[in-house]
Amino acid sequence: MTNIFEELEKNDSMSHSIFKDKVPLDHRWLPDKLVHREEQIRQIAKNWIDVLNGVTPSNVTLYGKTGTGKTATSKFAREQLMDIAHKKNVFVRVEYIRCTDYTTEYQVIAQLCNELGRNVPNRGWTKGEVVNTFRDIFKTNAFGKKMHLIVILDEIDILLDKDGDGILYTLTRTDGVSVLCISNYLDFKNLIKSRVTSSFKDKEIVFPPYGADQLSDILNERAKLSFNDDVLDGDVIPLCSAMAAKEEGDARYALDLLKNAGELAFDEDSKKVTSEHVKKAKDEIEHNKVIEIISTLPLQQQRVLESILNLTKQNEEITSGKLYEAYTDLYKKDAVTYRRIFDFINELELLGIISTNTISRGRGKGRTNIIKLQCDETLLETTLFSI
């Protein structure tokens, strides 16, 4: 039998008829220039420039929805700062922490210590021992110069929600340390107590969603690096951009559409990437998104969805009362309260899995919520019963 990897590698090399290099289509890839985020880069730089003169820079917060370039912009500014700091012989470090990976203050501080050359175990020490080890780094160092540290905390709201605001208290009260927080939510500061707010004092930078024209510019820049000449039909990038603009200006979604469309064209042995490939890519991405959402729902929400599915298959008009009745019939001993079902309905609607519509039954009969599925029944059934 031939080596499976050799066979796949051979097939992959054939994809060069479509692709030159897929890497620039990954949203995590950092280009040489970030189009339509020059102003945000400049604002970060204005806040960070003090560090070049030995002054701890201001804390910064970046706000914006998913796919608006917050992470890429902060990393781009980091590269620019590290470049000039090296030329000026300034001792500054910029460390990036994704708070989905490090979800407690202990984990974040331990990771920073390890990145800065101090070995700290992932668990086992007291919080005081970890914090003292971290702060000791700033008192003594092999370079004989004072170190400044900028910590980028991406998706900070996840850490604050799980572990409280201790991480911001520790970092903002350590000499020589400043913080750049990234959040999708404008109200994340509701998770910060007043004792921390007084030392945090951040400068806020807002990232608006990309428009269709801006997304086209981004895709055109990436396409030059990723696709061979004359492979993309003229309407491919405008269509990807228009679809992503409807998804709240999400550049990640636009890049995923373009990449998936290219891969579909290759799978079909097509010499061109067409608008049909983009439409198929959209269906595939949404299909995978629904599977991921359903698979990661808490058990009770999955059970509520199963009840909605059963009523839908029976062509029943689904009211919240009828849903609760069907749900309790299925899970008598382990059912949640009627009030909790309302919370689940709201959460499932926010995720786009169901919709609700309030209708009037007429004078004296009140108003009723009608619930409908917004995803494919077969896909929902297959996903629920494969979990």
Side-chain angles (χ1 to χ4, degrees), residues 242-256:
M243 287 177 171
K246 288 181 181 178
E247 293 288 328
E248 301 183 314
D250 188 340
R252 293 185 188 184
Y253 184 72
L255 289 166
D256 284 344

Side-chain angles (χ1 to χ4, degrees), residues 239-274:
L239 182 57
C240 288
S241 303
M243 287 177 171
K246 288 181 181 178
E247 293 288 328
E248 301 183 314
D250 188 340
R252 293 185 188 184
Y253 184 72
L255 289 166
D256 284 344
L257 274 176
L258 187 56
K259 181 181 178 183
N260 284 22
E263 289 174 341
L264 285 168
F266 168 67
D267 289 342
E268 294 174 8
D269 292 324
S270 173
K271 293 181 180 179
K272 288 271 190 179
V273 183
T274 69

Side-chain angles (χ1 to χ4, degrees), residues 161-230:
D161 187 46
K162 179 176 179 180
D163 197 50
D165 59 8
I167 184 63
L168 291 179
Y169 186 84
T170 296
L171 292 177
T172 57
R173 299 204 172 216
T174 302
D175 288 341
V177 177
S178 69
V179 180
L180 182 145
C181 296
I182 301 176
S183 178
N184 296 337
Y185 305 101
L186 286 168
D187 62 351
F188 94 91
K189 287 185 185 174
N190 292 339
L191 299 167
I192 303 174
K193 295 171 185 167
S194 56
R195 64 166 192 151
V196 176
T197 304
S198 62
S199 59
F200 186 44
K201 293 178 182 175
D202 61 324
K203 305 290 180 67
E204 299 180 348
I205 303 173
V206 176
F207 283 64
Y210 292 109
D213 289 344
Q214 292 177 319
L215 289 166
S216 284
D217 291 340
I218 292 167
L219 294 186
N220 276 311
E221 289 288 329
R222 303 290 184 103
K224 290 174 192 172
L225 301 169
S226 296
F227 291 95
N228 284 311
D229 295 340
D230 303 321

